[in-house]
Amino acid sequence: MSEIVFYTNPMSRGRIARWMLEEVGAPYRTVVLEYGADMKSPEYLAINPMGKVPTIVHGDAVVTECAAICAYLADAFPEAGMAPPPTSPERGAYYRWMFFGAGPLETAVVTKSFGFDVPDDPQARRRAGWGNFDTTVSTLGGLLSDGRSYLLGDSFSALDVYLGSQIAWGVQFGTLPALPGFEEYAARIIARPAAIRALELDDPKSS
């Protein structure tokens, strides 16, 4: 199995990808890129034309975007048990909420942080794929309303790494409102050994 090359910066969404790498236990080599010249260099743009991180290179496969990286790693290393079986009902929920996090939720939260939301107009909300911030957050809130331990029920998965990271960030920094069960859920997932290892790698303690 080819070693994974992981391009990241500790102050980026690469933290999510590193957590996933630690969860699957795949051997990988980290390349830290600085914002600016490093990420916009011709060499890196040939790998990721967006000039941003994270990116992983695994043999001939080049994968960008955190949700895609998490899904790819779950399938590339099935022994880690990070995704439900392909034909199971849970697989549909896994895809649904993974792409919900990558699309409506991220868009709603980021635009809200810029002081913008979709106008209170039905036509405008139809044009915006996420509806508006309140609709998106209300939809997300229903995920944990039944007291489940993880986003798919009793089993931790790549969905908890990706969408769970967004929830944990929202709880910590107030980008999401306080919703029932979210604080407890965030504390549960960030206490995982792989999450702690990833944190220590991205935020090494000064000697």
Side-chain angles (χ1 to χ4, degrees), residues 5 8 20 32 36 43 49-50 65 70 74 90 102 117 131 152 165 169 175 177-178 189 200:
V5 182
T8 188
M20 186 65 189
V32 175
E43 294 78 13
M50 290 287 286
E65 313 310 321
C70 289
E90 291 79 14
D117 199 4
L152 292 179
S165 289
W169 176 274
T175 58
I189 62 170
E200 290 173 345

Side-chain angles (χ1 to χ4, degrees), residues 74-91:
D75 288 344
F77 300 91
E79 64 277 7
M82 293 293 288
T87 58
S88 67
E90 291 79 14
R91 188 73 169 204

Side-chain angles (χ1 to χ4, degrees), residues 47-69:
I47 298 170
N48 185 347
M50 290 287 286
K52 65 187 184 79
V53 292
T55 298
I56 64 169
V57 178
H58 186 207
D60 293 330
V62 177
V63 189
T64 68
E65 313 310 321
C66 278
I69 290 171

Side-chain angles (χ1 to χ4, degrees), residues 28 35 40 42 55-56 59-60 68 70 84 96 101-102 104 109 123 138 140 150 160 166 180 182 187 193 196:
Y28 68 94
Y35 287 100
K40 304 303 182 184
T55 298
I56 64 169
D60 293 330
C70 289
R96 174 190 177 185
V109 169
Q123 185 175 1
S138 175
L140 178 67
Y150 300 109
D160 294 288
Q166 296 185 55
F182 275 41
I196 294 170

